């Protein structure tokens, strides 16, 4: 265990968990935007430009090693109410550099201003636009963290239900996969989780769903059908309240004959790879994920 991990966990428990417990969505948005500018940095040579795909604003990231025909569609987390492409750009840029792809990060609609199904609809619009733009679906890797992991896996479930082409691979970092919040770890890890306050899960979920079906597979992929899905990679920390979301999602995928890799890490905070600039374990996880993507996609290593 690195010294940085011990320090980071203490800081998150003392500062971030209380903020998550008490702050409004607007305050959470402001805090993460500020922190991302201070703590998270993309690799040297990264070029970021704003554009749109399917009328959805997107941040496009390119590194010197990016190949035009490789796309990382990365969907940021934030409980469907906060976060943005800017807050997750550094992590996505680091992963994109490692796999030699360009990254596309949708600025999808957030709750409570835009309730379900606005965010999955936005993600689908971006996917459709990428595929219309002469990018093979197999050359797109889709992934996300937390609520973004729900949207990434939910996109795959939606495509499968329609018999549409699917991405070459999908991954989730500490993914939220069940908006019914049925996992036992929501209670058993309530104290151990250094970031997420379990008591706010239902509240934030209701801000997003606003009475809609909590089992809809596009946002609760644990309740989806995945026969024929591409290979999947999931990682989650053993002290997270979303531990069971990750474990049960992996079990469901495997039960439907999906090639699935599950990595349960010890005593790491929610979406720890976002701290890759300061956390050795974050860098190690991104490197392991990149190696898995390159293997699945038969993409050569970064130059």
């Amino acid at each position: 265990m690195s010294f940085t991990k011990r320090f980071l966990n203490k800081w998150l428990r003392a500062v971030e968990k209380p903020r998550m417990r008490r702050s409004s969505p607007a305050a959470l948005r402001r805090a993460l935007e500020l922190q991302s500018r201070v703590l998270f940095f993309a690799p040297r040579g990264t070029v970021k430009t704003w554009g749109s795909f399917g009328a959805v604003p997107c941040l496009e990231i390119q590194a010197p090693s990016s190949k035009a025909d490789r796309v990382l569609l990365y969907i940021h987390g934030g409980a469907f109410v906060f976060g943005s492409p800017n807050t997750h750009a550094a992590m996505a840029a680091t992963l994109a550099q490692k796999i030699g792809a360009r990254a596309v990060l949708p600025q999808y609609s957030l709750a409570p201003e835009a309730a379900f199904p606005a965010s999955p609809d936005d993600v689908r619009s971006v996917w459709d636009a990428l595929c219309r733009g002469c990018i093979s679906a197999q050359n797109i890797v889709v992934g996300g963290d937390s609520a973004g992991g729900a949207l990434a896996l939910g996109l795959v479930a939606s495509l499968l239900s329609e018999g549409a082409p699917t991405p070459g691979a999908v991954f989730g970092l500490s993914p939220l996969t069940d908006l019914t919040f049925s996992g036992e770890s929501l209670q058993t890890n309530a104290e151990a989780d250094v970031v997420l306050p379990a008591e706010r899960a239902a509240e934030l979920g209701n801000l997003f769903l606003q009475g809609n079906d909590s089992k809809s597979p596009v946002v609760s992929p644990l309740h989806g059908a995945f026969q024929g899905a591409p290979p999947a990679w999931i990682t989650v920390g053993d002290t997270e309240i979303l531990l069971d979301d990750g474990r049960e999602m992996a079990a469901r995928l495997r039960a439907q004959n999906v090639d699935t890799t599950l990595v349960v890490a010890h005593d790491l905070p929610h979406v720890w790879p976002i701290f890759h600039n300061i956390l050795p374990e974050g860098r190690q996880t991104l490197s392991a994920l990149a190696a898995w993507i390159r293997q699945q996609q038969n993409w050569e290593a970064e130059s």
Side-chain angles (χ1 to χ4, degrees):
M1 180 172 65
S2 69
F3 169 80
T4 304
K5 182 174 79 167
R6 291 194 295 269
F7 175 82
L8 179 62
N9 279 346
K10 289 180 180 179
W11 175 73
L12 290 170
R13 182 180 294 281
V15 177
E16 291 306 313
K17 191 169 185 177
R19 191 201 311 275
M20 288 287 294
R21 182 176 283 124
R22 66 174 183 265
S23 295
S24 67
L28 291 171
R29 292 173 192 174
R30 290 193 298 269
L32 186 54
E33 293 287 340
L34 175 61
Q35 289 167 350
S36 68
R37 291 195 294 270
V38 174
L39 294 175
F40 310 144
F41 301 97
R44 183 173 299 177
T46 297
V47 176
K48 296 186 287 185
T49 56
W50 280 95
S52 65
F53 290 91
V56 178
C58 293
L59 182 62
E60 188 168 357
I61 300 173
Q62 300 211 40
S65 61
S66 296
K67 307 292 192 300
D69 62 346
R70 300 180 185 178
V71 175
L72 168 64
L73 176 55
Y74 191 86
I75 308 166
H76 73 80
F80 303 105
V81 302
F82 66 101
S84 75
N86 287 325
T87 60
H88 289 64
M91 177 173 61
T94 300
L95 179 58
Q97 182 191 57
K98 290 177 178 294
I99 62 175
R102 60 187 173 109
V104 174
L105 285 73
Q107 186 170 297
Y108 61 83
S109 302
L110 297 177
E113 296 89 343
F116 174 89
S119 57
D121 285 353
D122 284 349
V123 170
R124 179 59 185 270
S125 293
V126 173
W127 167 266
D128 288 343
L130 285 169
C131 291
R132 286 195 303 269
C134 300
I135 298 295
S136 166
Q138 283 295 305
N139 277 350
I140 304 174
V141 173
V142 176
D145 62 278
S146 197
L151 292 169
L153 289 159
L155 171 65
V156 173
S158 177
L159 294 170
L160 288 166
S161 72
E162 299 171 17
T166 56
V170 62
F171 67 89
L173 308 175
S174 303
L176 170 65
T177 65
D178 181 18
L179 281 175
T180 72
F181 301 109
S182 64
E184 291 184 6
S185 59
L186 195 72
Q187 284 77 44
T188 58
N189 278 350
E191 174 57 31
D193 194 310
V194 298
V195 178
L196 299 182
E199 65 270 22
R200 286 205 77 179
E203 173 201 347
L204 294 176
N206 289 334
L207 278 179
F208 169 59
L209 288 170
Q210 295 189 23
N212 287 286
D213 184 8
S214 61
K215 291 185 178 181
S216 173
V218 294
V219 289
S220 283
L222 186 63
H223 302 280
F226 285 90
Q227 290 89 351
W233 191 93
I234 293 171
T235 192
V236 65
D238 63 0
T239 56
E240 292 194 61
I241 60 173
L242 296 184
L243 171 62
D244 283 345
D245 282 59
R247 290 193 302 198
E248 292 175 14
M249 188 71 235
R252 180 166 183 81
L253 290 167
R254 288 168 174 165
Q256 296 178 74
N257 299 313
V258 179
D259 180 3
T260 304
T261 299
L262 173 65
V263 180
V264 178
H266 177 58
D267 196 29
L268 283 165
H270 184 59
V271 194
W272 66 90
I274 202 169
F275 296 102
H276 61 94
N277 292 128
I278 60 173
L279 185 66
E281 292 86 350
R283 294 190 291 275
Q284 291 162 8
T285 297
L286 288 180
S287 292
L289 173 56
W292 178 83
I293 292 172
R294 293 196 306 268
Q295 180 182 38
Q296 298 302 323
Q297 297 293 92
N298 196 27
W299 290 348
E300 70 272 15
E302 61 182 308
S303 58

